[in-house]
Amino acid sequence: MNKAALVDEVRKLLARGTTRVAAGRATEAVLAAVKRGLRRDGEVAVAGFGTFNTVTLPARLGYNPHTRRPMKVAAVKTVRFRPAPDLRGRA
């Protein structure tokens, strides 16, 4: 499912008469709130859905695939998602 399909699903779930533009704004608002929560708190937990949290992957030694020479790969901050048991299908 891409973002356009997600907006269509949100529109279907909202009350009758909701426009696609309004559903797009609602979707954008939720995504912006998740981003803001991750930046501020480092974790966003949605009951029944799952938890998003930020993780810093340490710097490491990698290899250039073209030259096969070692190179340093810098540390990077990324987001991980841990689904709730209901979403996984296990209770």
Side-chain angles (χ1 to χ4, degrees):
M1 176 183 283
N2 61 19
K3 190 172 180 181
L6 179 62
V7 169
D8 286 338
E9 287 296 319
V10 169
R11 187 179 60 80
K12 289 177 189 174
L13 292 172
L14 291 175
R16 293 187 135 246
T18 301
T19 64
R20 185 170 183 173
V21 172
R25 285 187 187 138
T27 304
E28 284 294 327
V30 170
L31 295 175
V34 169
K35 287 180 193 177
R36 187 176 300 157
L38 285 171
R39 284 191 186 116
R40 185 181 59 221
D41 303 328
E43 180 175 286
V44 175
V46 181
F49 186 70
T51 303
F52 297 92
N53 61 346
T54 57
V55 177
T56 302
L57 300 177
R60 62 185 175 87
L61 186 64
Y63 291 93
N64 182 326
H66 296 296
T67 63
R68 299 193 187 274
R69 297 184 76 173
M71 59 186 272
K72 293 179 182 177
V73 178
V76 66
K77 190 180 277 190
T78 188
V79 176
R80 294 230 171 117
F81 176 71
R82 190 173 55 240
D86 293 344
L87 189 61
R88 283 186 297 218
R90 292 186 277 171

